[in-house]
Amino acid sequence: MHLFSPSSSPTSKATLTLFSPSQNPNNNSKFYFKIHTKTRTTIPCSSKESPPVLDPKPLSLESSRTNEPNSQESNIVIESKRDSLEGMLVVRRPEMEVAGEDSAESSGKESDDDNTKSVAVIDVGLEEFAKKMSVFEPERVGSSGSSPQEKPLNVNLDLALYKAKVLARRLKYKEAEEILQKCTSYWPEDGRPYVALGKILGKQSKTAAARAVYEKGCQATQGENPYIWQCWAVLENKMGNMRRARELFDAATVADKRHVAAWHGWAILELKQGNVKKARQLLAKGLKFCGGNEYVYQTLALLEAKANRYEQAQYLFRQATKCNPKSCASWLAWAQLEMQKENNLVARKLFEKAVQASPKNRFAWHVWGVFESNIGNIEKARKLLTIGHALNPRDPVLLQSLALLEYKHSTANLARVLFRKASELDPRHQPVWIAWGWMEWKEGNIPTARELYQKALSIDSTTESAARCLQAWGVLEQRAGNLSAARRLFRSSLNINSQSYVTWMTWAKLEDDQGNNVRAEEIRNLYFQQRTEVVDDVSWVTGFLDILDPAVDSIKKLLNMDQDPYKKAQEALRNISRGEEKGGDDSSAGNSSSNNIGNDKEGGGSSGLDLDSFIKERLSLDATKLDVNLETSAASPAPWRGKSPRSIWKPVKSNRKNVAKF
């Protein structure tokens, strides 16, 4: 197919040649133009719209349309600024699908009209293609080695998150933040980097930055990630924005109603606000949508125990341990319930279950040690606390309890060394300073006790620990004869915690001792007037437990609230005694409610766990070489930095002769 300009004009030297793809097999493009121009040539075309004007500049195309009002034909103007050889322009046009015309119209037109229409369609398609593609941009066409940045593989995200987690454990927050910032830029649709970064910022008390990270994460994930909503709600709850926290917890449950952490966190918020009924409803919804969960069962069990519904609490604890037998928190909470009921044998078995579920858990060793100390097993308590300290050498609470144990059953000098070591491990741990001050007061060192109490209050004067410190300091001043100072301290303690029965009654006792009986009675009346009593509705239990296990008929017997739980416990105890006389097996602590009731008031009793073999096999600790390193050095590095796990548990013998020199 060829189009030639009119040759009748002697001044016309331009030629327009159009080759079809079949005539030029060496060219891969669909159309090929060869243009030689030195003058302006006008080629008439019979079309309703005039084709664009081509200006053959280097690697650029320009389109324009001209409309003449008094004519039906248009002109194609071709201009050139180079020689015939340099002005050759090769344009590669992509294949474009053009809608087919009606067969009746296409059959009735002449060949010139077909050629003109095809050229017009090609130019329109080329114009649209040039708008979308960047191939016509000079900088992109000229650069051969440049390529867009590729997105890393998803496995790199997992590795980066793990590295950031390790750095955060080593308190290298800045490096961890840099890694997580890169993760949010490479994988903005993944919610894990936002959650990890927000938690790290929250640990550094950068609440505004953490809030901004959570907000950015919710926008990037389009509000469909419940973990970000839940972490944001926890942050607002810590800051005291309860209304905002409720809204965010609600958003988390809307994003995913099967996100049990949102239901549980929301319920804990309501419990702290005293809305027990609302908390129960949220926990019930969590079980309904998410199935069995040990944390939900455990919280419900604690609510039942607080309401003195002992058997319901046992049943819920049993459900929690069935959901996750490795849940150390559930075993511990259940053991403390039995400890309060003085079921020492069952409590000890549950403590054994807890340490077997999580051998390195510092809470398990601490609570078990305190339990053994309270029932008179001093040597075993010392051993348990020492094991806990060997496994967790950076925990001040274990050393604090061990110091109090040594003060009561050993020497005050040894207790002082342990208190000092605990205070160096965590200088902002208020209970260590309070316990140390109490010991010094008992030893008669009143100025030292005052200094230690003042140190505890300088850390934070608004916490529950601060209220206890003020109450203890008030008792000190009362015994020292400074009654006005004691009254001020009691009043300050009640300003922090107005529900403290001990503080109110201690203040009333002070007034009674001074002969101010009227004032003492006023103080007692003030306590009862301002006391917040939470009334728990028991009507929900019937329907709730039926939802949990409707096939168990024995659960319905637990709903009989008229029976005395103490009498039922005594009957169960007698049944256990008969069963033991008959050779009954009571190896499992969670088979039935009757098997879960025991008593060991003398503090003895055999234990099913061989503690020495357990710590040797599971923890590589030698029970005969356990001791506490009494060397105190604030500059000593953390035990996990550059040391193997075995070196953390390696015992160091202490020289008892140096203790007296302290």
Side-chain angles (χ1 to χ4, degrees), residues 221-234:
T221 58
Q222 299 180 357
E224 297 179 356
N225 192 306
Y227 297 92
I228 303 178
W229 290 113
Q230 187 244 336
C231 292
W232 191 359
V234 172

Side-chain angles (χ1 to χ4, degrees), residues 35 37-41 53-57 76-82 87 89:
I35 304 171
T37 60
K38 280 190 177 181
T39 60
R40 302 183 63 173
T41 304
V53 178
L54 298 180
D55 186 6
K57 296 180 181 179
I76 300 177
V77 180
I78 304 175
E79 297 180 357
S80 175
K81 296 181 181 179
R82 294 188 179 183
L89 176 64

Side-chain angles (χ1 to χ4, degrees), residues 143-407:
S143 60
S144 59
S146 62
S147 60
Q149 187 177 6
E150 296 182 356
K151 182 179 179 180
L153 298 176
N154 290 332
V155 67
N156 295 306
L157 174 60
D158 299 331
L159 295 174
L161 291 174
Y162 177 75
K163 186 176 181 180
K165 183 179 180 180
V166 173
L167 291 173
R169 285 179 178 177
R170 297 179 179 178
L171 305 181
K172 297 181 179 180
Y173 293 128
K174 186 176 181 180
E175 299 177 12
E177 289 176 17
E178 293 177 357
I179 293 175
L180 294 173
Q181 289 288 0
K182 292 181 181 179
C183 291
T184 57
S185 62
Y186 283 123
W187 297 277
E189 71 283 353
D190 198 300
R192 291 177 293 172
Y194 300 101
V195 172
L197 182 57
K199 288 183 177 180
I200 289 177
L201 293 173
K203 290 180 180 179
Q204 303 176 73
S205 300
K206 299 179 181 179
T207 55
R211 185 188 288 115
V213 168
Y214 290 139
E215 185 175 0
K216 180 181 177 182
C218 291
Q219 293 176 358
T221 58
Q222 299 180 357
E224 297 179 356
N225 192 306
Y227 297 92
I228 303 178
W229 290 113
Q230 187 244 336
C231 292
W232 191 359
V234 172
L235 177 67
E236 297 293 343
N237 186 18
K238 290 181 179 179
M239 296 175 63
N241 302 328
M242 302 303 174
R243 181 176 180 181
R244 181 62 172 162
R246 288 188 178 96
E247 295 175 355
L248 295 171
F249 276 126
D250 191 13
T253 57
V254 171
D256 185 5
K257 64 180 180 180
R258 294 172 295 180
H259 188 61
V260 67
W263 295 108
H264 184 261
W266 194 356
I268 296 298
L269 184 149
E270 298 297 342
L271 284 176
K272 291 181 179 180
Q273 297 297 313
N275 303 325
V276 179
K277 187 174 182 180
K278 178 66 174 178
R280 290 186 184 276
Q281 293 175 356
L282 294 171
L283 294 172
K285 287 183 179 180
L287 291 177
K288 177 182 178 181
F289 295 121
C290 311
N293 181 270
E294 65 268 22
Y295 296 103
V296 176
Y297 282 125
Q298 177 186 337
T299 305
L300 287 170
L302 293 175
L303 285 176
E304 295 302 312
K306 188 176 181 180
N308 296 324
R309 292 190 283 270
Y310 176 63
E311 294 185 354
Q312 287 87 336
Q314 276 188 325
Y315 168 76
L316 292 169
F317 275 128
R318 194 177 304 114
Q319 294 297 322
T321 54
K322 282 182 180 179
C323 288
N324 185 9
K326 297 296 183 181
S327 176
C328 181
S330 299
W331 292 112
L332 272 182
W334 192 357
Q336 292 181 70
L337 173 65
E338 301 295 343
M339 183 174 64
Q340 293 175 2
K341 294 295 181 180
E342 297 184 356
N343 300 324
N344 298 330
L345 179 62
V346 177
R348 184 178 290 110
K349 291 182 179 180
L350 293 172
F351 281 124
E352 293 173 359
K353 293 279 188 180
V355 297
Q356 288 174 350
S358 180
K360 299 180 183 180
N361 191 290
R362 56 194 177 100
F363 300 103
W365 295 104
H366 176 253
V367 179
W368 190 5
V370 173
F371 163 73
E372 296 294 347
S373 175
N374 291 336
I375 62 177
N377 295 335
I378 306 303
E379 292 300 326
K380 188 171 185 179
R382 183 183 287 111
K383 184 177 182 179
L384 292 170
L385 293 174
T386 306
I387 293 173
H389 173 68
L391 298 175
N392 303 274
R394 302 292 299 176
D395 183 59
V397 180
L398 289 164
L399 283 177
Q400 172 193 336
S401 298
L402 189 58
L404 291 173
L405 180 68
E406 296 296 344
Y407 169 69

Side-chain angles (χ1 to χ4, degrees), residues 82 86 95 138 197 278 372 412 429 439 446 462 480 511 589 623:
R82 294 188 179 183
E86 296 177 352
E95 296 184 7
L197 182 57
K278 178 66 174 178
E372 296 294 347
H429 189 68
M439 188 200 73
I446 305 300
T462 60
E511 300 298 341

